[in-house]
Amino acid sequence: MSEKLQKVLARAGHGSRREMEAWIAAGRVSVDGEISGLGDRVEADAKIRIDGRAVSLKSADDIICRVLAYHKPEGEICSRKDPEGRTTVFERLPKVRDARWVAVGRLDINTSGLLLFTCDGELANRLMHPSNEVEREYAVRTFGEVPEAAVQRLRTGVTLEDGPAKFDTIKAAGGEGINQWWHVTLREGRNREVRRLWESQEVQVSRLIRVRYGKVELPKTLPRGGWIELPIDQVNYLRQLAGLEAETRSILGTDKHSVARSKVKSAKIRRAVHKHKVVGNHGKPTRQRS
């Protein structure tokens, strides 16, 4: 049975469906020797190339849906390559055969916290669609006094340059001196929306951390720059949100040997993160505060 080309490529992990549509429109994809167009459908035995390179395709039954939770540090960008040479969020992720990791949404360079990756482009595409409205929670540190009237306006709604916006919830979470912490939630994923909401009230945000995506929380023990593979129940929670069938397989085991290997892998991740913490020209590691 034939399927849309962009769906086949996304499912195989070459990118989100939106990315694949852009590649097809740019003439980068060929099918059986002919440049493809948007809306083309392909059979299972089609010979597909991207930029002249043959791509490996798998059927839906051959693909195990994997999801990573990554603790993004400040200073990393959500792009695969950066012309300015800045560190990207993809550099520390594990290698995946015949596929690639797709980020579920983005965090700006000055925002840290939970960022999800999946090798299932269809899952990423559906989760990122505006109609999905997955709740995100952020910890926000503000600088200076925040009037109660400003907090009420952020609850009821303000007008930004791209339309009305508000926080679904906003709660004070303590602080010291002129620094105050808040926890806010919203269901949209507009560019820099959390920061722009506070800026609309002339409040300066000095730190912003995403701590939850839907029911998936940023693990408290996960170091900045570290990742962890989500277990199948959390993968299927995300698939349910996206309207996809449940995954029945996982590369994670539940036996004692698998748990032991998981602990070893965690130690390796922590050492890899530690190696990245260098400053100046001396190559000496520096500690990062949580």
Side-chain angles (χ1 to χ4, degrees):
M1 184 177 67
S2 66
E3 294 183 280
K4 285 188 176 181
L5 176 58
Q6 60 266 34
K7 182 177 180 180
V8 171
L9 292 172
R11 186 179 63 218
H14 295 283
S16 69
R17 192 187 295 186
R18 186 177 302 175
E19 285 179 308
M20 296 303 96
E21 289 173 349
W23 288 11
I24 294 168
R28 297 177 58 185
V29 183
S30 66
V31 178
D32 296 331
E34 299 290 334
I35 297 298
S36 60
L38 283 175
D40 284 359
R41 303 181 72 88
V42 296
E43 301 291 342
D45 60 351
K47 306 300 182 184
I48 302 175
R49 293 179 177 270
I50 298 176
D51 296 332
R53 296 190 299 272
V55 299
S56 174
L57 298 180
K58 297 180 180 179
S59 70
D61 293 337
D62 293 331
I63 298 172
I64 297 177
C65 179
R66 298 174 60 189
V67 181
L68 302 181
Y70 178 65
H71 190 164
K72 176 191 175 297
E74 295 177 4
E76 290 187 354
I77 63 169
C78 293
S79 299
R80 295 188 183 278
K81 295 181 180 179
D82 180 54
E84 299 179 29
R86 293 172 295 185
T87 303
T88 78
V89 294
F90 293 92
E91 293 181 17
R92 285 191 267 228
L93 301 184
K95 302 296 182 183
V96 57
R97 179 177 293 183
D98 295 331
R100 67 176 188 168
W101 296 112
V102 181
V104 179
R106 304 168 71 90
L107 295 175
D108 69 49
I109 190 170
N110 294 317
T111 299
S112 62
L114 178 63
L115 187 60
L116 299 180
F117 292 87
T118 177
C119 58
D120 186 334
E122 180 66 13
L123 174 61
N125 181 72
R126 294 197 184 192
L127 289 175
M128 288 187 286
H129 196 278
S131 64
N132 206 283
E133 295 187 341
V134 181
E135 184 176 79
R136 291 99 156 151
E137 181 178 351
Y138 295 82
V140 185
R141 187 177 68 187
T142 57
F143 180 79
E145 183 180 355
V146 180
E148 180 59 28
V151 175
Q152 289 301 323
R153 285 191 291 271
L154 292 174
R155 286 195 180 104
T156 57
V158 300
T159 300
L160 303 179
E161 59 268 27
D162 54 356
K166 67 175 183 177
F167 291 127
D168 295 327
T169 63
I170 176 171
K171 299 178 182 178
E176 297 180 356
I178 57 177
N179 290 310
Q180 186 170 358
W181 282 96
W182 308 81
H183 275 247
V184 302
T185 63
L186 75 172
R187 295 177 180 271
E188 294 183 308
R190 284 189 267 173
N191 184 42
R192 299 185 69 254
E193 187 171 7
V194 175
R195 291 183 185 275
R196 290 189 293 131
L197 274 164
W198 286 101
E199 289 168 358
S200 73
Q201 304 305 302
E202 298 183 349
V203 176
Q204 179 183 345
V205 173
S206 58
R207 194 169 181 194
L208 180 59
I209 309 167
R210 183 154 74 187
V211 296
R212 180 169 59 84
Y213 182 91
K215 294 180 180 179
V216 180
E217 298 182 349
L218 178 67
K220 289 182 170 57
T221 57
L222 187 63
R224 279 178 284 176
W227 56 266
I228 188 171
E229 183 114 14
L230 295 188
I232 194 168
D233 60 328
Q234 289 190 311
V235 170
N236 281 331
Y237 160 71
L238 294 170
R239 292 183 67 82
Q240 182 180 30
L241 286 180
L244 296 172
E245 292 183 0
E247 176 61 83
T248 60
R249 298 163 298 169
S250 172
I251 69 167
L252 298 178
T254 56
D255 60 285
K256 293 181 179 180
H257 296 294
S258 296
V259 172
R261 286 195 297 269
S262 176
K263 290 180 179 179
V264 171
K265 181 182 288 186
S266 176
K268 289 182 179 178
I269 292 169
R270 290 174 183 272
R271 285 197 292 271
V273 172
H274 184 72
K275 287 197 299 184
H276 278 78
K277 300 174 187 175
V278 295
V279 295
N281 298 319
H282 302 290
K284 296 181 179 179
T286 61
R287 292 184 179 178
Q288 292 181 333
R289 294 188 298 176
S290 300

